[in-house]
């Protein structure tokens, strides 16, 4: 079964979209004097995600287990079991290969490969999938969710995932900015330099209070 997407009223297959995406990526990269080895690595990851990973996660695991199918119950069960088994294998590959020595799929900065992968992880969230057996995948997914715009763009997804699974996917809070030590020390010094207010009558030393009480009235 082939998935079709509609772009400007024209029907494009997933394979066509990969070709278009690759062409645009390379065309734009030519203007930036890029690291072609990295560009090739990103293309390789995107092709794997958009074919093998996509097929097993969506078509063979999540879709037949959540939506009506023309398959018999026995065939449907077999497809889902195979899809789930392969999904675990693919997560192993991401954990041990793509994220073995880097924070993102290709290096320590996010690329289009990370966005592709993260969207397919969102498909797994429709089943409240447990990523804890893959700690690097889990932490990487958390980092992607903290990228600019993710929370707002995926608000509808979180609602839909809760509708299907009963569990709303976690949206991590961005870390609070840490004040540099020099700035903190400067702020403390500024507080120390503030002139102190004169003591109130209640705060005057006991000796002054006693002298005032002993002073004879005029």
């Amino acid at each position: 079964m082939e998935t079709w997407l509609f772009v400007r009223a024209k029907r494009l297959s997933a394979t066509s979209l990969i070709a278009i995406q690759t062409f645009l990526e390379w065309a734009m990269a030519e203007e930036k004097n890029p690291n072609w080895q990295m560009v090739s690595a990103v293309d390789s990851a995107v092709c794997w995600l958009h074919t093998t990973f996509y097929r097993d996660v969506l078509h063979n695991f999540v879709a037949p287990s959540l939506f009506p199918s023309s398959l018999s119950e026995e065939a449907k069960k077999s497809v889902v079991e195979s899809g789930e088994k392969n999904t675990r294998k693919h997560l192993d590959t991401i954990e041990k290969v793509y994220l073995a020595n880097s924070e993102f799929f290709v290096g320590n900065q996010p690329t289009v490969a990370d966005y592709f992968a993260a969207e397919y992880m969102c498909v797994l969230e429709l089943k409240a999938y447990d990523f804890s057996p893959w700690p690097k995948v889990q932490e990487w997914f958390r980092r992607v969710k903290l990228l600019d715009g993710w929370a707002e763009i995926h608000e509808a997804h979180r609602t839909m995932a809760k509708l299907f699974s009963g569990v709303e996917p976690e949206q991590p809070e961005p870390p609070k900015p840490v004040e540099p030590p020099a700035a903190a020390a400067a702020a403390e010094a500024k507080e120390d330099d503030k002139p102190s207010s004169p003591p109130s009558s209640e705060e005057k030393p006991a000796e002054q209070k006693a002298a005032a009480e002993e002073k004879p009235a005029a």
Side-chain angles (χ1 to χ4, degrees):
M1 181 175 65
E2 188 170 18
T3 298
W4 295 94
L5 299 177
F6 288 83
V7 180
R8 292 189 179 181
K10 292 185 178 180
R11 195 169 65 173
L12 297 173
S13 68
T15 306
S16 300
L17 289 173
I18 293 177
I20 293 171
Q21 178 265 323
T22 302
F23 169 77
L24 292 175
E25 182 183 354
W26 282 64
M28 290 186 292
E30 286 182 345
E31 302 177 0
K32 300 179 181 179
N33 190 26
N35 179 337
W36 289 107
Q37 185 176 1
M38 179 173 288
V39 173
S40 297
V42 171
D43 287 341
S44 175
V46 168
C47 287
W48 177 76
L49 288 163
H50 210 27
T51 53
T52 305
F53 191 70
Y54 174 82
R55 178 195 64 219
D56 287 319
V57 169
L58 179 62
H59 289 302
N60 298 339
F61 179 36
V62 176
S65 63
L66 291 180
F67 304 109
S69 171
S70 59
L71 298 174
S72 66
E73 286 301 316
E74 184 178 354
K76 181 177 177 180
K77 181 180 178 182
S78 177
V79 169
V80 170
E81 288 178 351
S82 175
E84 183 175 12
K85 180 181 178 181
N86 287 330
T87 294
R88 291 196 298 268
K89 287 182 179 179
H90 299 330
L91 290 172
D92 284 339
T93 298
I94 295 173
E95 178 87 4
K96 298 174 183 178
V97 178
Y98 288 104
L99 301 177
N101 300 304
S102 61
E103 294 185 356
F104 293 95
F105 263 63
V106 182
N108 292 318
Q109 296 296 327
T111 67
V112 66
D114 297 283
Y115 289 100
F116 265 96
E119 294 304 333
Y120 297 147
M121 298 299 174
C122 287
V123 173
L124 290 171
E125 285 186 324
L126 297 179
K127 289 180 64 67
Y129 199 79
D130 180 15
F131 293 100
S132 61
W134 302 274
K136 289 184 178 180
V137 173
Q138 195 172 37
E139 182 58 28
W140 159 82
F141 198 18
R142 182 181 181 278
R143 282 194 292 270
V144 174
K145 286 184 174 184
L146 288 172
L147 295 175
D148 289 344
W150 177 278
E152 295 79 8
I153 292 171
H154 290 82
E155 184 176 352
H157 159 71
R158 292 193 295 274
T159 301
M160 185 169 64
K162 185 176 181 180
L163 179 66
F164 277 107
S165 68
V167 179
E168 183 173 347
E170 178 190 7
Q171 175 57 45
E173 292 292 331
K176 295 181 179 179
V178 179
E179 190 175 19
E188 291 180 3
K190 189 175 181 181
E191 288 292 327
D192 294 338
D193 292 341
K194 286 183 178 180
S196 57
S197 56
S200 62
S201 58
E202 295 180 356
E203 296 174 341
K204 289 181 179 179
E207 294 80 359
Q208 293 184 14
K209 287 184 179 181
E213 291 174 357
E214 292 177 0
K215 185 176 180 180

